[in-house]
Each structure stands twice: as structure tokens, then as C-alpha cells.
Amino acid sequence: MTSEPSSPHHLVAITGSSGLLGSALSEALRARGDGVVHLVRRPPSQDVPAGVREAQWDPTHGLSDRGALAGVTAAVNLAGAGLGDRRWTARYKDTLVHSRVPNTAALCQALLALPQKPRLLSGSAIGVYGSRGDVRLTEQSALGSGFVPDLVQDWEHATWAAEDGGLPVAHLRSGIVFSRTGGALARLLPLVRFGLGGPMGDGTQFWSWITLPDHIAAMIWLLDHPEITGPVNLTAPEPERQKAVVKALAAMLHRPSLMPAPTIALRLALGEMAGEVLGSQRVLPTVLQEHGFEHSHPDLASAAAWVTG
């Protein structure tokens, strides 16, 4: 449950609307009576659900229809190539950067050109903190260094023009999103169902996770609370060690969770990205909790029951 929204009827522009988060957010907004504008790279389609309109968006050349953002009260920026979609070659690392940073800067310029000052929720990630062992991390914690922390910091810095222009901007520092059909568990759940979902490395690294319903609810809650700006950790209140996460999922599916994935095998299979899988981030949703947001799945037991239900 969450607090009552202060403004239930928005017109929200969404980048990344075909992704796991974007599609679920669009559906949830429309279910409560909001309108959405999907900013897409391809020519817009007329065959869209009620409450949706599409506008062609090219970060290099802007909007094909300059009136597409008329009346928009908020924007949610979720576009970006997936960190786990491919091995991190030099070319793909460049894709990870350029699918986020220039796109975000261009969206901010488009929003600044509007007569109104829309609310902006811009994608980010807890990877900004780097691997920090057992240290409890809040929005006030020092940031890490390395490819992912640097990427996420650049991603957040791309909104500076919007912030300087008076737009209320919040950075969505998302944790590992638990979904029944996609996201981080898309590859793990099949292994768990076959009894092969054991520890990754020694399994003691903290995973800071959040269920898809809670992530969507938190985004909508932040849309309704534009006074909250800056970084916001979108995680559950109780991060858990990786082996505990797998054990909980396996228990719900009545499967063992004994077969480990050795560190050397992960590094051979994943290359540089193995550092993210083996890294430890104990991130707490301090801003959400201090402002009264309530998670539907605050602990691992409730999350595992939902995922496997």
C-alpha cells in the first residue's frame, strides 16, 4: 500500500515504453486514468491501446511532431540498452553509454522547451555505488568508481540542464527487479526450477532487489510527489545475500539450491560483467521510507511468494 496520490491524472511521456518497466508503468498509469505518450524510435502506430498515443523520437533530431508533448505533466526516462543483454565488448560498452547519456540530455532539452515544467523521473541504477561489501548504502553514501558507477553518474549528470531550468527531477536508482516474466530473474528462475540455481561465487554478496509491482508503485508515487528530487533508491527495505535469494526461490518451487556457479566459470562466461554479478551492494530505500512509501513486498519471503505464485 502507498499513500494517497496528490494528483491522480497525469499525461506522462515515457521513453523505453516497450521494456519491462516502461510497459508495466504505462499499463498501471492508464489503469488509474492517466494518459501516456510513448516516445518511440520507429514511425508511430495508430494501433495502440486506449489512453496511449505514440510520437516518433530521435534523440539526434528530436520529435517528428513538435506538438507531441503538449500538455505533458511528467516524463519518465527509461531508455537504455540492457547491462546484461550482451557480453561487454568495447563496442557494447559504447552502446550502453550512448543509449543513455545523449538520449537523456536530448529529452531534457525537449522538456525545457515546454511552457509548463513537467516532473522528470530519470533512469539510474544502484550500480552507481560500486561493490561495497556489507556497508549499508543510502542516497547520501559516497559513489563508486569503475565502468558502471561512472556510466550511471554520467547518466544522472545528463539531467543537470533540466534541474537548472527548474524541472523537479528524481533519479531512479533501481535495484535488481524481480519479475515473473523478465528482468534479472528471467535467466535465473529456469535454473532454479531445474535445481541448478545455487550460489554465484560464494553467494555472500548482497543483492538489493525490488519486485516489479513495488517498482511501478514507487514510480507512480514519485510522479505524485514532485517535491522529492535527487537520487531515490528503488529497492526493498531488506537486501539479502545472493544465496539466500536463491534458497527462498527454490523453497517456494520445492527445489534444491545446492549447485554453485564457481567464480572462475562466471568470469569465463560473462567477462567483465561478472564483476557486477559477484559484487555486493547493500542498498536501502531511505528516501522512499522517510517520505512514507510502503512496499507490498518488503521482505524476501513475500517477494519469493509473489514471483513463484
Side-chain angles (χ1 to χ4, degrees):
M1 299 291 295
T2 61
S3 61
E4 288 297 318
S6 59
S7 176
H9 297 293
H10 293 288
L11 178 60
V12 184
I14 304 174
T15 67
S17 58
S18 62
L20 175 70
L21 293 176
S23 58
L25 175 63
S26 177
E27 182 177 352
L29 287 169
R30 288 181 280 120
R32 72 168 199 163
D34 295 326
V36 294
V37 181
H38 293 175
L39 301 182
V40 298
R41 296 294 192 96
R42 53 174 171 74
S45 171
Q46 301 303 313
D47 184 20
V48 293
V52 175
R53 74 171 187 257
E54 291 189 343
Q56 189 169 12
W57 162 253
D58 179 344
T60 302
H61 301 100
L63 290 160
S64 58
D65 175 5
R66 296 192 178 276
L69 296 181
V72 162
T73 60
V76 184
N77 178 37
L78 300 172
L83 286 172
D85 288 356
R86 300 183 190 176
R87 193 179 181 92
W88 288 0
T89 62
R91 176 175 292 182
Y92 194 63
K93 287 168 77 171
D94 188 62
T95 297
L96 291 172
V97 173
H98 283 88
S99 64
R100 287 170 170 78
V101 179
N103 290 2
T104 298
L107 177 62
C108 289
Q109 291 301 322
L111 296 175
L112 283 168
L114 299 175
Q116 69 274 26
K117 286 184 167 56
R119 168 65 151 162
L120 173 59
L121 305 183
S122 194
S124 182
I126 61 171
V128 74
Y129 300 111
S131 181
R132 305 283 281 278
D134 292 357
V135 176
R136 295 176 183 271
L137 301 170
T138 74
E139 289 85 354
Q140 300 302 314
S141 296
L143 306 183
S145 60
F147 173 69
V148 172
D150 292 349
L151 165 63
V152 179
Q153 289 178 64
D154 288 345
W155 196 9
E156 292 188 356
H157 293 168
T159 67
W160 279 355
E163 295 169 57
D164 289 345
L167 271 64
V169 179
H171 297 113
L172 307 173
R173 289 184 177 171
S174 300
I176 300 170
V177 179
F178 285 1
S179 166
R180 292 170 172 167
T181 58
L185 295 188
R187 298 178 186 177
L188 180 59
L189 275 178
L191 295 176
V192 173
R193 289 190 171 97
F194 283 102
L196 301 174
M200 295 181 179
D202 63 12
T204 61
Q205 66 271 33
F206 274 95
W207 274 11
S208 295
W209 51 270
I210 185 169
T211 62
L212 180 61
D214 277 343
H215 196 293
I216 300 305
M219 287 194 289
I220 292 177
W221 186 84
L222 286 168
L223 287 175
D224 292 336
H225 292 80
E227 72 279 6
I228 300 174
T229 59
V232 182
N233 293 335
L234 270 63
T235 61
E238 298 181 15
E240 293 282 357
R241 298 189 188 275
Q242 186 269 333
K243 60 184 177 182
V245 172
V246 174
K247 184 176 181 180
L249 294 172
M252 286 291 173
L253 294 169
H254 307 290
R255 306 300 297 167
S257 59
L258 302 175
M259 187 71 69
T263 298
I264 189 170
L266 287 171
R267 295 198 182 280
L268 287 172
L270 302 177
E272 187 178 349
M273 197 185 77
E276 297 304 305
V277 173
L278 298 168
S280 182
Q281 295 173 327
R282 194 176 188 179
V283 181
L284 305 176
T286 305
V287 169
L288 287 178
Q289 290 188 300
E290 286 180 347
H291 287 84
F293 178 80
E294 296 180 16
H295 293 74
S296 295
H297 307 118
D299 52 47
L300 188 54
S302 60
W306 175 80
V307 167
T308 58

